[in-house]
Amino acid sequence: MSEEIKAPEKKKRIFSAIQPSGTITLGNYVGALRNWVRLQDDYDCIFAVADLHAITVRQDPKEFKKNILEAYALFLACGIDTEKSIFFIQSHVHTHAELAWLLNCYTQFGELSRMTQFKDKSAKHADNVNAGLFTYPSLMAADILLYQADLVPIGADQKQHLELTRNIADRFNGIYGKTFTVPDAYIPEVGARIKSLQDPTKKMSKSDENVNAWVAILDKPETIMKKFKRAVTDSEARVCVGEGKDGINNLIGIMGSVTGKTADEITAEFEGKGYGDFKTAVGEAVVETVRPIQDKYNKLISDKAYLEEQYRKSAEIALRISQRTLDKAKKKIGYIL
Ligand code: ATP
Ligand code: LTN
């Protein structure tokens, strides 16, 4: 009997990106970054720092440059490994801007007008409702479609953009024949949504002007402790999950996400203890989680040559892969290559 020889199964491809629009928060870490690190073994992963997207909102040049490199180094410090994954800076790979232009011509004004992020951000930055803010989703579609990604890990707020990406891909494929893989969203399990420490009905967001609302991965231990001590809670003074206890629910969620403990275990542990003790314990647990990341980050950020080697190497591979898709799309449209 001859044994059947099976070809090794091809790993699915994942693409995701994050904007360097501020300092990376605990919310970004728990909701995105940490999952990306875990996905690296099972998928063929391509990640990017989406710096082209970031200028849809005005950026201070010095601060912006610092944020891009900080995000890159921080991701490496968290465990993104350029031996396993491709991890590049979006503006280093020119195919993104080029495909985005092409896709703009296959995206309808009406579709872009319906995007909630556009409506929210144009209300928030009423003095700078630029065309880039409007066409932001076609650049995001280009990011994804260039790599023929099967899955895109995103937060719930990006679902609408992914839906539009799928529509653009379908439309293009419908006109010219199969050119792009139509990607699926990959949304992590619920419970990973960290809320603002000052208004726990809102998500923790790096662009929140109230610095006490978020904890940055690179915040000093004493700053982290201070922010947790100031966290908004309720007047019941019982550490347990409950309705109307958004602040405590959030702190329990944070504690659970950094220690792996369940809400019941946490409740049992803090039975009879006050909120002050609990806040201190959550702060300490977060400090312990970020400590090794910060140590690694500090080493990386002082070695600019190493960082450059990593992002240049990844950009080169990303360019090679994405150029194939771009050429394919251009050929189908009728361009002379
Ligand atoms: P901004 O304030 O600039 O909108 P943000 O902090 O809300 O930034 P995004 O850049 O929109 O973050 O998101 C990056 C990734 O982090 C997304 O995958 C998103 O789902 C995830 N993320 C952001 N905030 C949280 C949060 N509070 N809890 C869990 N995941 C989050
Ligand atoms: N819009 C996303 C960041 C982003 C992205 C992407 C995510 C840019 N390009 C491609 C997934 C795939 C955000 O603001 N979180």
Side-chain angles (χ1 to χ4, degrees), residues 16-19 21-22 25-33 36 117 121 124 153-158 192-195 203-208:
S16 199
I18 191 167
Q19 291 191 66
S21 48
T25 66
L26 185 65
N28 300 138
Y29 176 69
V30 170
L33 197 35
W36 293 8
Q117 181 178 295
K121 290 213 171 166
K124 203 168 153 196
I154 40 164
D157 56 323
Q158 296 297 315
R193 194 123 286 254
I194 308 279
K195 301 290 193 342
K203 77 161 190 167
M204 182 182 283
S205 179
K206 58 174 137 58
S207 56
D208 199 317

Side-chain angles (χ1 to χ4, degrees), residues 100-120:
W101 170 256
L102 302 183
L103 296 183
N104 264 334
C105 304
Y106 299 83
T107 309
Q108 298 303 308
F109 181 87
E111 289 178 305
L112 292 171
S113 316
R114 284 193 289 276
M115 295 293 117
T116 25
Q117 181 178 295
F118 172 68
K119 290 191 242 173
D120 290 350

Side-chain angles (χ1 to χ4, degrees), residues 16-17 31-32 35-36 117 140 152-162 185-188 192-193 203:
S16 199
N35 301 321
W36 293 8
Q117 181 178 295
M140 182 160 157
V152 184
I154 40 164
D157 56 323
Q158 296 297 315
K159 255 169 87 177
Q160 207 185 17
H161 289 164
L162 193 80
Y186 187 98
I187 297 181
R193 194 123 286 254
K203 77 161 190 167

